[in-house]
Amino acid sequence: MRCVQDGNACNYRDDVLIRCRRYDQALVISRALQQWLLLQQQQTRQQLRPQSREQAMAELTALLRDFSIGNTSCQQQVSGGDILEWTQQINSSQRLTDSKYRFHLADIDTSRLLVTTRATGALLEINCLQRLPYIEQSEGGSRMPFSSSIELAMPDIPTARQVQLILRQLRALTTVDLTPADFSWLATAAAGYHQRADMKQVLTQPETSACKWMLQHEINSSRGGQSPWYEFSLQDINPAQIRLLVSGKEVSIRLATHGEQSLIKHYSAADKYGFERSLQLYFNDIDTAKRAERSLQALVQRCQ
């Protein structure tokens, strides 16, 4: 419950006491509140009716107005389709934060879209399915570690509840493309990796065999050093062990051999090599990595 005292916002409360002069007055107020609550519940059920994505996004955009509570102001906006990009700039007497979040609606656990409070502010907590760290976030333009949950500032609890309902509607309207891509797309996605300024990826295959691949990590370092590369056959890769990994700010796909055998040739120099059990391909974001995971599984299975 939102609290305002002498014109100033105070901490949210979980109860309120209404003082009455007589018992019959308290009874009338109690019954009126019960009827009002039933009406509100009926209106909430009506709000859950299916609507188009365009209508839902228009309502969401309209709800996310700028607001101020005490000495804290918040500017925010949201855009996208199946993938939402949410920005919030919060300016308080203590500091200014400029945050941006990016996530696929299919990754959101709608049963854990939680309306909460902290001191004088309302919050909407968004959690990923299985607590997977699939929410991309940045602050002040700098990439931050991926997260499995975020808290978004809301102007008040009624607005937070409306946003909660709309996100559930959008999730129900979300589709997931499970179509695997070909090698050309995969090589382009790997080459487009730019999260590390000192490394480029080059994924190639000889014209003679679609099942023989080479992966090179081109290292651009002022200290010099070699750019390692790998040669491997898709016949040696276990499709069941192709995994999407998230570690801090990095997203990658791990490929491991059958039985974790050392079958991947790893060159550290032109005439120096050893054998590895696995290797990793890096990608810019979760959604590209997901499609790469499906594509790798399909391409590897063709060569088994």
Side-chain angles (χ1 to χ4, degrees):
M1 296 181 183
R2 190 174 185 179
C3 171
V4 178
Q5 186 172 355
D6 298 328
N8 298 315
C10 50
N11 291 356
Y12 274 84
R13 301 182 57 173
D14 58 7
D15 63 2
V16 64
L17 178 65
I18 301 175
R19 298 186 181 277
C20 304
R21 289 182 179 273
R22 299 191 310 272
Y23 173 78
D24 59 328
Q25 289 180 333
L27 193 61
V28 169
I29 293 174
S30 174
R31 288 174 177 172
L33 285 172
Q34 290 173 357
Q35 292 175 351
W36 177 77
L37 287 171
L38 286 173
L39 179 62
Q40 292 299 309
Q41 290 170 357
Q42 290 172 358
Q43 291 177 344
T44 299
R45 284 194 291 269
Q46 290 174 355
Q47 288 176 334
L48 287 171
R49 68 188 186 278
Q51 59 180 321
S52 70
R53 176 181 296 280
E54 291 73 21
Q55 289 174 319
M57 283 301 298
E59 287 186 22
L60 183 60
T61 302
L63 280 171
L64 296 179
R65 63 189 186 277
D66 299 345
F67 65 91
S68 297
I69 299 175
N71 296 323
T72 302
S73 63
C74 177
Q75 295 178 310
Q76 58 182 337
Q77 62 181 18
V78 64
S79 61
D82 290 340
I83 300 173
L84 291 186
E85 292 191 359
W86 205 304
T87 60
Q88 285 200 330
Q89 187 178 76
I90 299 176
N91 190 359
S92 68
S93 57
Q94 299 173 333
R95 68 174 195 152
L96 171 67
T97 58
D98 188 359
S99 304
K100 182 176 181 180
Y101 307 100
R102 184 177 185 272
F103 54 88
H104 199 296
L105 284 164
D107 294 326
I108 299 306
D109 186 349
T110 54
S111 68
R112 296 177 64 236
L113 284 170
L114 307 176
V115 176
T116 62
T117 62
R118 181 181 298 141
T120 60
L123 301 169
L124 179 63
E125 182 181 325
I126 298 178
N127 293 276
C128 290
L129 290 165
Q130 301 175 22
R131 303 185 187 277
L132 293 169
Y134 283 177
I135 299 175
E136 182 180 332
Q137 53 184 356
S138 61
E139 190 168 320
S142 298
R143 188 167 186 166
M144 304 297 287
F146 284 82
S147 178
S148 61
S149 67
I150 54 173
E151 289 181 333
L152 299 170
M154 295 285 133
D156 48 52
I157 287 179
T159 302
R161 294 237 181 258
Q162 287 180 282
V163 173
Q164 180 189 52
L165 290 174
I166 292 173
L167 287 178
R168 285 174 176 161
Q169 291 173 338
L170 285 170
R171 173 61 186 90
L173 295 167
T174 298
T175 57
V176 179
D177 182 9
L178 299 176
T179 307
D182 59 13
F183 176 84
S184 177
W185 178 90
L186 190 64
T188 301
Y193 174 73
H194 56 71
Q195 297 303 324
R196 285 181 54 182
D198 64 338
M199 187 184 83
K200 286 179 58 180
Q201 288 184 130
V202 180
L203 182 65
T204 57
Q205 64 179 183
E207 295 181 0
T208 55
S209 176
C211 296
K212 302 282 187 182
W213 288 9
M214 185 175 82
L215 171 65
Q216 185 171 9
H217 289 156
E218 295 183 355
I219 306 297
N220 180 18
S221 173
S222 58
R223 294 175 297 178
Q226 299 292 330
S227 295
W229 73 93
Y230 304 85
E231 290 181 357
F232 58 100
S233 170
L234 298 192
Q235 294 175 333
D236 296 327
I237 302 299
N238 185 350
Q241 292 299 318
I242 295 174
R243 292 283 187 268
L244 190 158
L245 303 177
V246 180
S247 177
K249 305 175 186 179
E250 296 280 10
V251 186
S252 65
I253 303 294
R254 180 180 183 268
L255 287 78
T257 59
H258 287 287
E260 297 279 340
Q261 299 179 76
S262 299
L263 300 174
I264 299 171
K265 189 177 285 189
H266 175 208
Y267 288 86
S268 57
D271 57 348
K272 295 181 180 179
Y273 66 86
F275 289 92
E276 303 286 345
R277 300 175 181 177
S278 65
L279 59 83
Q280 284 177 255
L281 272 166
Y282 294 88
F283 298 93
N284 289 320
D285 54 67
I286 295 292
D287 303 290
T288 303
K290 280 186 177 181
R291 192 178 185 196
E293 181 184 37
R294 292 193 299 271
S295 304
L296 283 163
Q297 290 168 345
L299 290 168
V300 167
Q301 285 172 349
R302 291 178 193 172
C303 295
Q304 298 297 296

